[in-house]
Amino acid sequence: MNRSDAERIASVFEATGYTQTNSESEADFIVTIACSVRQHAIDRIYGKAREWQKRKQKEDLVTILSGCVLDKDKITMSKFFDLIFDINNVSKLAQFLEKIDPMAASSSSEVKDLEILRQSLRMTESNNFFSIRPKFNSTFQAYIPISTGCNNFCTYCAVPYTRGREVSRPMSEIIEEVKGLVQNGYKEITLLGQNVNSYGHDFPSAVIPSEAEESLKKQRVMDLSTRRSTKSVEMTNHFSRLIQAIDKIPGDWRGYFYSNHPKDFSDELIETISKLKHFPHYIHLPLQSGSDKIIKVMNRHYTQKQYLGLVKKIKNKIPEVTITTDIIVGFPGETEADFNQTKKVIKEVGFDMIYISKFSPRPGTKAAKMENNVSQKVKEKRWQKITDLLKRYLEKENKKYVGMVMKVLIDAEKNGKYYGRTDNYKVVELQNDVQPRTRLNIRKQTGPMGQLEDIKITASEAWMLKGEVI
Ligand code: SF4
């Protein structure tokens, strides 16, 4: 989501006449996007901000902060930043940029004007996030927010306070955007929402775009046959309908969606995913903890039994599915017994990747008021234990891919070697030369980046596969 926010901010700058630089020392403006969960990231912003303060004494520099910034942080951060704006107000950023000349930012009348503008920007409550078209950094991968904000209030997370309540983007707008990108040669489309499964809960039931009507009619027939209320399906299945409609877009592309919430992952959605052509059978399903006690304190609204039941249903319907997850270790009150419950779930599910974070209290959230009673040393030990568990599992599991031919999107280059991702998001290191092909609408192409290739897997490790273009 932060990358996507950055692309929207870049597009406002571009529309105002600025260009992006990759060199921080050359920049006249620096925009920082804050993280929602980890205080560690906020601490790093303070470190950088102090550095920029010193630079401001010698040269002209304007610093801007957005993303997930709590009111409490805004007060302390305002000493360091020239503007702090709510990401939902990204379209208003243009007003600020039109007003400010970085070369004259220190003149007193300019500062006074800016102060008035800052106040008005802070006070604007409107959510116009989707009105800004992003400037995509990549010519083959695109992140498309389908909603912004969240209603879930997990106790460790700042999103509901910083981005506000969940607002869904109209379905027709998303479908049009994906169509345009695919027509322009994009190969990978990632739909983003803090909780994609609750997409559309805020739609009035009458607003259903024509492209999704057909599937809705079929769904109604199914509802009647199963004697379930159409109204409840309309409330819960907007996301299924959205991905079904997007899946119909023809072309050589693949789609993903993040993030799912186990409490909202419906049977209808499992059924839908099992039938999609363009969306690989890859599901990111954040667990956070395997202990019922900790899940409850996190305010996640499921139990270990329900999570495992959901995984079982998914695997029964989609046997080849890849499931990845997020886990927080060292949450307040997490005992060794609680941690063992998390390990139990990891062993039972067999995750293909686990994004592990060590709990770091984010001031302003409920969890920050809890006693942070797991020492850093214990958090590190638990982090390592999960990493070792995952490594051992993947060393064995990834062997099954050796000899297979897999579709790989080449998306990185390092020291003359190309890397890509399979449909189920495994990293593949390419062992032989890849011929660059002319790609649609790409005038200056320097290599095979962005190509979807058939790769024969020749070797496997825990964190990576190796393969050759055939
Ligand atoms: S679901 Fe929980 S963790 Fe995710 S954005 Fe919402 S409050 Fe934060």
Side-chain angles (χ1 to χ4, degrees), residues 13 32 165-166 187 292 295 387 390 427 462:
F13 269 91
T32 307
R165 301 300 168 272
E166 189 178 69
K187 298 290 175 204
D292 286 350
I295 297 170
T387 306
L390 180 67
V427 176

Side-chain angles (χ1 to χ4, degrees), residues 152-421:
N152 285 318
F153 293 91
C154 301
T155 50
Y156 50 84
C157 178
V159 165
Y161 310 103
T162 55
R163 294 189 89 104
R165 301 300 168 272
E166 189 178 69
V167 176
S168 305
R169 190 176 173 198
M171 222 185 255
S172 52
E173 222 179 278
I174 303 167
I175 295 166
E176 278 315 303
E177 187 166 9
V178 177
K179 252 188 207 161
L181 288 164
V182 171
Q183 279 163 8
N184 277 308
Y186 276 76
K187 298 290 175 204
E188 193 173 284
I189 306 290
T190 304
L191 307 176
L192 295 176
Q194 252 75 34
N195 174 11
V196 290
N197 309 139
S198 57
Y199 167 80
H201 76 98
D202 48 336
F203 287 164
S205 52
V207 187
I208 295 170
S210 57
E211 298 208 26
E213 265 170 8
E214 205 47 39
S215 64
L216 177 59
K217 274 184 211 154
K218 283 184 198 148
Q219 189 67 57
R220 279 187 179 133
V221 172
M222 206 174 92
D223 298 336
L224 289 174
S225 67
T226 53
R227 294 176 188 279
R228 289 175 61 186
S229 123
T230 301
K231 191 164 185 289
S232 80
V233 170
E234 283 181 11
M235 286 299 290
T236 56
N237 279 339
H238 286 293
F239 182 62
S240 285
R241 247 168 259 136
L242 174 71
I243 52 176
Q244 280 171 36
I246 291 177
D247 194 55
K248 290 191 185 117
I249 298 171
D252 192 15
W253 65 276
R254 64 189 191 184
Y256 298 93
F257 47 85
Y258 303 97
S259 194
N260 297 291
H261 197 307
K263 78 176 168 59
D264 295 320
F265 209 99
S266 66
D267 292 358
E268 287 87 348
L269 182 57
I270 301 174
E271 179 76 28
T272 299
I273 295 170
S274 73
K275 291 178 183 156
L276 298 175
K277 286 197 310 285
H278 289 286
F279 289 81
H281 292 156
Y282 172 92
I283 296 171
H284 184 71
L285 199 61
L287 168 69
Q288 307 302 6
S289 169
S291 151
D292 286 350
K293 181 188 96 189
I294 299 295
I295 297 170
K296 194 163 184 206
V297 186
M298 287 176 167
N299 197 31
R300 296 279 296 168
H301 297 280
Y302 49 85
T303 60
Q304 180 197 102
K305 196 173 162 203
Q306 285 164 337
Y307 185 94
L308 288 173
L310 175 61
V311 169
K312 198 172 164 198
K313 269 197 262 180
I314 295 173
K315 287 188 173 179
N316 282 343
K317 190 79 205 165
I318 316 170
E320 74 292 358
V321 70
T322 291
I323 301 180
T324 58
T325 200
D326 297 328
I327 284 174
I328 299 172
V329 290
F331 194 80
E334 187 190 65
T335 61
E336 209 51 35
D338 294 316
F339 179 63
N340 285 339
Q341 290 301 308
T342 302
K343 285 200 298 181
K344 175 184 167 247
V345 179
I346 293 172
K347 286 181 191 159
E348 209 165 318
V349 175
F351 293 110
D352 268 83
M353 187 46 72
I354 304 175
Y355 302 94
I356 322 162
S357 48
K358 293 167 229 154
F359 175 73
S360 105
R362 180 79 160 80
T365 60
K366 273 196 176 167
K369 293 189 192 113
M370 298 173 192
E371 195 190 345
N372 185 12
N373 54 3
V374 183
S375 71
Q376 194 57 23
K377 206 170 153 197
V378 170
K379 285 176 193 167
E380 267 150 33
K381 241 166 104 181
R382 290 179 184 167
W383 183 92
Q384 194 58 52
K385 277 185 182 165
I386 295 183
T387 306
D388 293 344
L389 204 60
L390 180 67
K391 187 166 181 276
R392 281 198 300 276
Y393 171 76
L394 290 176
E395 270 164 1
K396 277 193 206 152
E397 181 66 12
N398 284 349
K399 284 193 171 70
K400 74 178 182 198
Y401 298 108
V402 177
M404 282 188 191
V405 174
M406 302 177 90
K407 269 261 182 275
V408 171
L409 179 68
I410 302 171
D411 63 356
E413 189 265 335
K414 204 177 168 192
N415 304 327
K417 280 207 159 169
Y418 285 101
Y419 296 82
R421 297 256 183 187

Side-chain angles (χ1 to χ4, degrees), residues 14-34:
E14 200 157 81
T16 326
Y18 292 98
T19 51
Q20 201 169 335
T21 171
N22 288 325
S23 157
E24 195 182 301
S25 60
E26 269 182 13
D28 298 314
F29 288 86
I30 295 176
V31 188
T32 307
I33 301 168

